[in-house]
Amino acid sequence: MTTRVLLADDQALLRATFRILVDSDPGMTVVAEAADGREAVDLTREHAPDVVVMDIRMPGTDGLAATAEICADETLSATHVLILTTFEDDENVARALRAGAAGFLGKDVGADVLLAGIRTVAAGESLLSPAATRTLITRFLTTPDPAEALAPPALLATLTDREREVMSLAALGRSNAQIAEQLVLSHLTVRSHIQRAMTKLHARDRAQLVVIAYQSGLVEAPPR
């Protein structure tokens, strides 16, 4: 199946470069390009892509507002947002996590990393293992405004011990394969535990599940 990608960036040259790169992969195709957040939302609703590659800083409606709107739209539940950022403002990236972004990449990554990131997000996984992303999570999401919490603490009580264990390892950046090896489980069983935890906690995707793990105190941040 071909992964359908929408590119959102206010720099036409970057969009053109990303289009050439994405279209060069036989398993991907660019279905639309947007120059700002408002256009990104409108085109996402029109084309329902698998992945939106979203810049944060754009005129008018920025990438954060666009991400929140896309992720809040139940008709777009199969669309995942991959944020491209230079990490100039870490708090903005944390806000994007809360809004539902599935992962982050810096604009200076290589072509192979960007394509791999798109594949990862399209498959329902999240780009949460890099050290920079863990730093963002531990810095901004462990002491959130209670009004911004993604799940009431009481919902954690609905998880089984194994679901908590798997969720904790996911929050530490472990992939499903790594969790399966550590707990001596099958990859399918780990995936099932992740899916059930997401359902019980009303998490849109794995990224939000990880946010909830830190917000709820299930996983403690390392000393800064």
Side-chain angles (χ1 to χ4, degrees):
M1 178 180 289
T2 300
T3 299
R4 303 168 71 253
V5 180
L6 185 148
L7 303 173
D9 196 296
D10 63 333
Q11 297 183 49
L13 181 59
L14 273 180
R15 291 201 312 275
T17 301
F18 291 150
R19 175 183 276 276
I20 292 171
L21 175 62
V22 172
D23 284 341
S24 71
D25 188 300
M28 299 183 192
T29 185
V30 174
V31 296
E33 296 180 26
D36 58 48
R38 181 71 264 153
E39 189 176 18
V41 174
D42 293 342
L43 288 175
T44 297
R45 286 178 173 146
E46 178 180 349
H47 295 279
D50 300 302
V51 177
V52 178
V53 179
M54 182 84 74
D55 185 23
I56 287 182
R57 299 180 185 276
M58 292 185 288
T61 301
D62 65 16
L64 292 174
T67 296
E69 192 167 346
I70 289 169
C71 293
D73 190 332
E74 293 183 358
T75 67
L76 297 175
S77 60
T79 295
H80 304 284
V81 178
L82 173 61
I83 295 287
L84 285 184
T85 176
T86 56
F87 295 105
E88 292 177 357
D89 187 337
D90 290 349
E91 189 167 7
N92 279 344
V93 181
R95 287 172 55 201
L97 255 181
R98 295 187 188 113
F104 315 97
L105 286 175
K107 286 189 175 180
D108 58 349
V109 297
D112 290 346
V113 174
L114 175 58
L115 293 176
I118 292 173
R119 291 189 200 97
T120 297
V121 170
E125 299 286 339
S126 300
L127 299 180
L128 294 172
S129 57
T133 304
R134 289 200 298 271
T135 298
L136 292 173
I137 294 171
T138 57
R139 180 173 179 182
F140 291 106
L141 301 180
T142 53
T143 55
D145 182 330
E148 295 181 339
L150 292 178
L155 282 182
L156 268 295
T158 66
L159 299 181
T160 65
D161 290 342
R162 181 64 89 182
E163 287 164 356
R164 285 169 174 261
E165 187 175 24
V166 170
M167 180 177 170
S168 297
L169 291 172
L172 294 174
R174 307 287 197 277
S175 67
N176 284 2
Q178 290 171 325
I179 295 172
E181 181 178 1
Q182 181 171 339
L183 299 182
V184 195
L185 299 171
S186 72
H187 186 279
L188 181 60
T189 298
V190 171
R191 185 180 180 86
S192 295
H193 285 313
I194 291 288
Q195 291 295 330
R196 284 198 294 270
M198 286 169 51
T199 299
K200 290 179 179 180
L201 299 176
H202 310 299
R204 173 187 167 88
D205 52 28
R206 191 187 185 99
Q208 287 199 344
L209 190 69
V210 171
V211 173
I212 293 169
Y214 281 94
Q215 285 184 332
S216 66
L218 181 64
V219 175
E220 295 184 0
R224 286 160 49 192

